[in-house]
């Protein structure tokens, strides 16, 4: 693949810094998120309701703050400064969790800092898109390579998080996260470009993102796809142990297999998008998702579940690889809002998935959750069909 080869053969400090910051922010987040419920239950010692409340408040506040900062970054200026402030918020968040055990401080100040820190990733991708456009480079391919770095961080981060938390304690784990944010801030300060706002046509009518039918359809499709994925991640460990009676270690094998396969499909999506366009690639992704959930509701052997991860990797790899740039192409001159919309579709999907998976599993079965996910995947296919090709 010539485009990927070009990225590898001709590295420059700016491109390498984008990849490094993406990887390190991914590591910082992957150190915190997998062990959060364990931290709240064992270290802060709160009951399950308050654990769930923390996740809900964190998701809702994250959506509001990231959307506000996305609009502000597109109208007020320098993303580099905003990313630096987000890295500083990430450091403060990590130190707060390392040394504080008061739940109400964590669910207030902690959630605020977490929402600010989480904005670093969409702003980083927005800045990378603007830099690629100015350099007349292929934004799709570079965005896919960046997203692959984030996925690689999630292959490494969770095992490291549990090893640090179990072996040395949560304080050491959160201090490691703070160190990751510090490294990110230093790389951002030293190497990332500070770009002026892109020129916008002031005569063009200012249309709300939600009023644009193409953006609205893509947001609905993306939200439905991420809802399916989150429902699978929530439901799968309980399904294979309680309903199928399989070894609980299989859950880790399935997640690891999918994560490993996602990375090459992200890169392939970035490469083939130039030839076919984004809508055909997204339709391939959703069709793979439909096939994956059909397999989940009809097959139950360990070998079949492992084989199905190929379809799951195509589904998530393509969405994660080009979904963000699809929003950016539909919203020229508003990279911050576009990238934040994609990130918020993931957050919204997580909120919906938690509610749907819990209710369906309790009233019906864990198998029934996958039936609902299959229905949502089909609805996502219909919504994706309405988005124009770019």
């Amino acid at each position: 693949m010539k485009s990927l080869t070009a990225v590898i053969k001709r590295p420059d400090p700016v491109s390498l810094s984008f990849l490094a910051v993406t990887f390190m922010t991914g590591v910082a987040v992957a150190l915190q998120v997998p062990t959060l419920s364990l931290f709240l239950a064992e270290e802060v010692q709160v009951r399950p309701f308050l654990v769930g409340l923390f996740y809900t408040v964190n998701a809702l506040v994250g959506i509001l703050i990231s959307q506000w900062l996305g609009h502000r970054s597109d109208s007020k200026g320098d993303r580099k400064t905003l990313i630096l402030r987000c890295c500083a918020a990430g450091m403060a968040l990590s130190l707060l969790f390392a040394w504080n055990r008061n739940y109400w401080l964590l669910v207030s100040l902690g959630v605020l800092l977490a929402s600010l820190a989480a904005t670093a990733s969409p702003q980083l991708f927005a800045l990378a898109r603007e830099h690629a456009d100015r350099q007349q480079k292929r934004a799709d391919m570079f965005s896919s390579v960046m997203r692959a770095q984030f996925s690689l961080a999630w292959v490494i981060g969770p095992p490291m998080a549990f090893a640090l938390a179990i072996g040395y304690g949560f304080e050491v784990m959160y201090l490691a996260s703070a160190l990751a944010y510090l490294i990110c801030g230093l790389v951002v300060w030293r190497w990332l470009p500070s770009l002026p706002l892109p020129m916008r046509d002031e005569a063009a009518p200012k249309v709300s993102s939600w009023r644009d039918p193409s953006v609205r359809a893509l947001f609905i499709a993306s939200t439905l796809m991420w809802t399916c994925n989150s429902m699978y991640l929530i439901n799968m460990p309980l399904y294979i142990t309680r309903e199928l009676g399989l070894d609980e270690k299989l859950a880790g094998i399935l997640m690891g297999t999918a994560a490993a396969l996602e990375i090459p499909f992200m890169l392939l999506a970035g490469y083939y998008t130039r030839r076919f366009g984004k809508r055909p690639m997204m339709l391939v992704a959703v069709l793979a998702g439909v096939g994956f959930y059909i397999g989940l509701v009809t097959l139950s052997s360990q070998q079949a579940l492992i084989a199905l991860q190929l379809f799951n990797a195509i589904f998530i790899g393509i969405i994660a690889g080009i979904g963000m740039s699809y929003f950016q192409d539909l919203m020229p001159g508003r990279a911050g809002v576009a990238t934040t919309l994609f990130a918020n579709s993931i957050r919204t999907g997580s909120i919906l998935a938690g509610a749907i998976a819990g209710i369906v599993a309790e009233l019906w079965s864990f198998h029934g959750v996958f039936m609902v996910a299959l229905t949502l995947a089909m609805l996502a296919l219909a919504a994706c069909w309405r988005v124009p090709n770019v």
Side-chain angles (χ1 to χ4, degrees), residues 57-73:
V57 172
N58 188 47
L60 292 175
V61 174
I63 289 173
L64 294 174
I65 289 183
S66 63
Q67 198 66 35
W68 173 69
L69 287 176
H71 282 281
R72 184 176 177 82
S73 69

Side-chain angles (χ1 to χ4, degrees), residues 15-25 149 184 187:
S15 296
L16 291 176
S17 66
F18 273 116
L19 298 179
V21 174
T22 305
F23 177 75
M24 291 306 299
T25 53
Q149 298 301 309
C184 287
V187 175

Side-chain angles (χ1 to χ4, degrees), residues 1 27 109 113 200 243 305 309 344 371:
M1 296 183 290
V27 169
L109 178 59
L113 291 173
R200 297 178 62 179
E243 291 195 8
L305 292 175
Q309 297 311 308
N344 283 344
M371 296 288 291

Side-chain angles (χ1 to χ4, degrees), residues 133-325:
D133 288 344
R134 287 176 181 272
Q135 299 294 318
Q136 297 183 332
K137 296 180 179 179
R138 281 202 53 203
D140 294 336
M141 190 69 236
F142 190 59
S143 178
S144 295
V145 175
M146 286 180 62
R147 188 62 179 79
Q149 298 301 309
F150 199 84
S151 295
L152 179 61
W154 270 85
V155 174
I156 298 171
M160 187 188 304
F162 281 101
L164 290 174
I166 295 172
Y168 301 95
F170 284 97
E171 181 177 338
V172 172
M173 188 199 74
Y174 282 114
L175 289 177
S177 178
L179 177 61
Y181 276 116
L182 175 61
I183 294 172
C184 287
L186 292 174
V187 175
V188 170
W189 172 76
R190 177 62 180 85
W191 283 290
L192 284 195
S194 182
L195 301 178
L197 286 173
M199 295 296 294
R200 297 178 62 179
D201 186 0
E202 296 297 332
K206 293 180 173 59
V207 181
S208 167
S209 303
W210 191 249
R211 293 193 176 187
D212 185 326
S214 299
V215 175
R216 185 167 64 245
L218 182 58
F219 181 82
I220 292 172
S222 183
T223 299
L224 289 172
M225 288 184 271
W226 289 112
T227 301
C228 293
N229 183 59
S230 295
M231 288 171 66
Y232 167 72
L233 294 176
I234 293 170
N235 188 68
M236 181 267 291
L238 298 173
Y239 171 66
I240 65 174
T241 55
R242 297 188 182 181
E243 291 195 8
L244 299 184
L246 298 173
D247 192 332
E248 61 184 10
K249 293 180 181 178
L250 178 60
I253 294 173
L254 296 180
M255 290 184 183
T257 301
L261 291 174
E262 281 172 17
I263 296 176
F265 282 110
M266 287 177 192
L267 301 178
L268 288 170
Y271 176 73
Y272 283 107
T273 292
R274 185 177 187 179
R275 181 178 301 179
F276 300 110
K278 290 186 174 63
R279 190 177 78 161
M281 297 301 297
M282 290 290 280
L283 290 174
V284 167
V286 187
L287 285 171
V290 171
F292 174 63
Y293 289 104
I294 289 175
L296 284 179
V297 300
T298 57
L299 304 173
S300 58
S301 70
Q302 177 172 320
Q303 294 77 11
L305 292 175
I306 293 175
L308 283 173
Q309 297 311 308
L310 176 64
F311 292 93
N312 191 24
I314 296 172
F315 179 43
I316 300 303
I318 294 178
I319 297 169
I322 67 172
M324 185 181 296
S325 59

Side-chain angles (χ1 to χ4, degrees), residues 339-389:
T339 307
T340 302
L341 270 177
F342 175 74
N344 283 344
S345 72
I346 301 175
R347 291 191 180 102
T348 305
S350 297
I351 295 172
L352 294 175
I356 295 172
I359 293 172
V360 174
E362 185 166 334
L363 298 180
W364 189 2
S365 66
F366 294 112
H367 182 267
V369 174
F370 295 136
M371 296 288 291
V372 176
L374 173 59
T375 303
L376 295 181
M378 291 179 175
L379 292 175
L381 183 63
C384 209
W385 189 266
R386 300 177 62 86
V387 185
N389 193 23

